[in-house]
Amino acid sequence: QVQLVESGGGLVQAGGSLRLSCAASGSIVIFNHMGWYRQTPGKQREFVVSINSGGTPNYADSVKGRFTISRDNAKNTVYLQMNSLKPEDTAVYYCNAKRFSTLLSRYDDVWGQGTQVTVSA
């Protein structure tokens, strides 16, 4: 089982930038999609962005134009560059990897442990 480890979270002022990294313990080419979700206390985990094996990204409307996802298959790492951060971006950010199981006809998920991002006003 591939494990995901996030890093790069922290405290930043509004308008600032952070770069999150998600390092996998094995090859990420086996995953159909890799991406980021975020969660705040009392709320459901929400989709932020994903990138498929072909390199095509998909962004939530709330982060379009501010966040950029990229993947480095050679380093088994996915990055999230977050610019123009807003206080409402404050959350725990989780790395996610999805692999389609033909046997079960569904996507299997792998999650990282999360990294806290706090944006002060």
Side-chain angles (χ1 to χ4, degrees), residues 5-6 12 24-25 32 51 53 94 101 118:
V5 178
E6 302 98 331
V12 65
S25 60
N32 303 94
I51 186 168
S53 56
Y94 295 91
S101 168
T118 303

Side-chain angles (χ1 to χ4, degrees), residues 22-105:
C22 172
S25 60
S27 175
I28 63 173
V29 298
I30 65 172
F31 296 110
N32 303 94
H33 301 272
M34 294 199 70
W36 295 88
Y37 288 69
R38 64 188 182 187
Q39 189 171 24
T40 54
K43 292 188 177 181
Q44 285 192 330
R45 195 169 295 186
E46 67 171 2
F47 170 80
V48 177
V49 60
S50 67
I51 186 168
N52 65 15
S53 56
T56 302
N58 180 35
Y59 294 94
D61 288 342
S62 58
V63 305
K64 279 182 181 177
R66 300 188 299 120
F67 290 10
T68 303
I69 189 171
S70 61
R71 61 190 292 169
D72 187 334
N73 291 339
K75 294 183 177 180
N76 296 319
T77 302
V78 175
Y79 304 97
L80 181 62
Q81 178 66 43
M82 304 186 294
N83 299 328
S84 302
L85 283 161
K86 305 175 181 179
E88 51 264 43
D89 293 319
T90 295
V92 177
Y93 283 71
Y94 295 91
C95 183
N96 170 261
K98 295 185 185 295
R99 184 181 184 185
F100 187 73
S101 168
T102 54
L103 179 65
L104 300 175
S105 295

